[in-house]
Amino acid sequence: MNPSVNSSYQGRVALITGANVGIGRVTALRLAEVGFTVFLAGRSAQRTQAVIDEIHAAVKSPDRAFYLPLQLDDLNSVRACAAQFLALERPLHLLINNAGMAGDKGQTRQGFEKAFGVNHLGHFLLTQLLLDTLKASAPARVVTVASRAHLMAYQGVDWQALQQTTRSLTGTVEYGVSKLANILFSAHLAKVLAGSGVSTYALHPGVVDTEVWREVPRFLRPLLRLRGLLTPEEGAQTTLYCALQAPANESGLYYDKCRVKTPSRIAQDAELAEQLWNQSLQWVKADQ
Ligand SMILES: NC(=O)c1ccc[n+]([C@@H]2O[C@H](COP(=O)([O-])OP(=O)(O)OC[C@H]3O[C@@H](n4cnc5c(N)ncnc54)[C@H](OP(=O)(O)O)[C@@H]3O)[C@@H](O)[C@H]2O)c1
């Protein structure tokens, strides 16, 4: 995918999580280059500023990229991030749930398993809080960066484990469950948003040479390299395809290499998707 400058995106607004490095950084840059104003939500103003400066230099304008503080492992921070954006009274045409971690172990501030809390529940709440604005801004899109790693979660969801500390040695089992949750979430979100003009996409970006592997034990990293790592530029292509080109009537599907791909059997389980949706709603409401 090679989005060319397209004035039809002028005036459109995107919010992307985890855009200070990796796939998110490239995604934010390319969206700004085609005309979007981009809000970069992340944990470090300082580290995000470098990307904001890069964007402003690329688009030759000083007001097309902004930072929003966001810690996805704290639901209060997610609420504050959404509130800060909503207070600006801007439209929102594109939400990209990109941030993610793999291999970090523990629990979030509210006691959820770390990968599930950061990769799924934080983004679930952020999306809920921005839904009315997305609908009011339609046509709009929600793109969630999932992973082929969802295939590891073939045994389904252990609901109790989601409220405990990470149990596996490498954290990769829990990462797989969190990425399964991303796909189930995106599929159910499409049903909730049917007829609203807001379409949703989940995707695998490829195996990409980014910092996401920093917590993965060193002895496992050569295995990743053997699989042929993509550059972050290459890794952003499927996100950009879903954000800019995928047909709106393909809402709720999963993509790989800029094409629709059938995810695992369990990731297609509509009942499980609804159960996850309802449980996630209860969890974020209980915390208020
Ligand atoms: N790289 C791959 O091979 C690959 C494969 C499949 C899927 N993915 C997915 O692609 C997405 C982007 O990852 P990447 O490869 O670009 O990795 P990355 O370079 O490590 O970027 C991850 C981003 O997520 C942010 N983040 C992590 N934990 C956070 C938290 N608690 N609160 C807020 N932000 C947080 C990071 O912020 P900090 O800089 O502050 O840590 C960073 O901006 C992730 O969802 C990942 O699961 C990646």
Side-chain angles (χ1 to χ4, degrees):
M1 235 270 325
N2 184 18
S4 55
V5 177
N6 183 339
S7 59
S8 66
Y9 297 116
Q10 296 289 343
R12 295 185 80 75
V13 178
L15 192 162
I16 172 163
T17 65
N20 56 301
V21 284
I23 297 166
R25 171 189 154 272
V26 175
T27 306
L29 259 164
R30 300 293 162 254
L31 289 174
E33 282 172 358
V34 298
F36 277 85
T37 294
V38 286
F39 286 82
L40 290 75
R43 311 194 258 202
S44 164
Q46 199 191 357
R47 280 181 284 126
T48 307
Q49 190 58 45
V51 184
I52 291 177
D53 292 343
E54 215 177 339
I55 290 172
H56 286 155
V59 302
K60 298 185 176 47
S61 163
D63 59 357
R64 292 270 303 288
F66 303 95
Y67 172 67
L68 291 170
L70 171 67
Q71 284 180 225
L72 285 159
D73 52 359
D74 179 356
L75 296 176
N76 293 326
S77 167
V78 176
R79 288 191 187 93
C81 176
Q84 192 172 333
F85 177 77
L86 294 174
L88 299 171
E89 299 187 352
R90 303 283 299 249
L92 183 61
H93 305 99
L94 179 59
L95 170 63
I96 303 194
N97 293 320
N98 164 79
M101 41 91 14
D104 192 7
K105 287 179 266 177
Q107 282 170 286
T108 64
R109 178 140 188 191
Q110 284 76 21
F112 295 96
E113 190 285 317
K114 195 71 170 274
F116 177 79
V118 170
N119 298 348
H120 167 68
L121 201 60
H123 282 128
F124 175 86
L125 177 58
L126 183 66
T127 308
Q128 292 293 334
L129 295 170
L130 298 175
L131 268 191
D132 286 345
T133 301
L134 283 158
K135 286 192 229 170
S137 314
R141 291 175 181 226
V142 180
V143 177
T144 300
V145 183
S147 172
R148 189 173 190 277
H150 78 275
L151 294 169
M152 289 190 292
Y154 57 88
Q155 289 181 319
V157 177
D158 174 346
W159 300 96
Q160 281 189 343
L162 300 181
Q163 290 187 281
Q164 294 166 4
T165 193
T166 316
R167 280 193 251 168
S168 76
L169 190 63
T170 59
T172 45
V173 173
E174 288 81 359
Y175 179 69
V177 171
S178 76
K179 293 291 148 179
L180 169 67
N182 285 157
I183 299 173
L184 292 168
F185 160 68
S186 184
H188 194 76
L189 181 62
K191 290 189 178 168
V192 171
L193 290 171
S196 69
V198 186
S199 45
T200 80
Y201 309 83
L203 67 106
H204 171 58
V207 182
V208 188
D209 193 2
T210 66
E211 292 180 31
V212 80
W213 308 113
R214 73 193 114 181
E215 302 291 345
V216 173
R218 288 203 173 276
F219 71 91
L220 286 177
R221 294 190 202 171
L223 292 178
L224 298 172
R225 301 212 178 274
L226 277 179
R227 300 187 56 185
L229 293 179
L230 302 178
T231 64
E233 187 71 49
E234 292 165 335
Q237 295 311 303
T238 303
T239 301
L240 289 166
Y241 174 78
C242 291
L244 303 175
Q245 292 188 325
N249 64 4
E250 284 182 0
S251 187
L253 300 182
Y254 172 71
Y255 294 75
D256 186 4
K257 299 190 181 76
C258 300
R259 280 194 296 272
V260 174
K261 170 127 182 164
T262 305
S264 68
R265 186 185 49 79
I266 201 156
Q268 299 171 63
D269 184 335
E271 269 180 44
L272 181 62
E274 187 171 4
Q275 197 182 354
L276 175 69
W277 181 275
N278 291 333
Q279 182 61 76
S280 301
L281 260 186
Q282 268 184 31
W283 277 332
V284 297
K285 279 187 182 155
D287 169 61
Q288 275 180 320

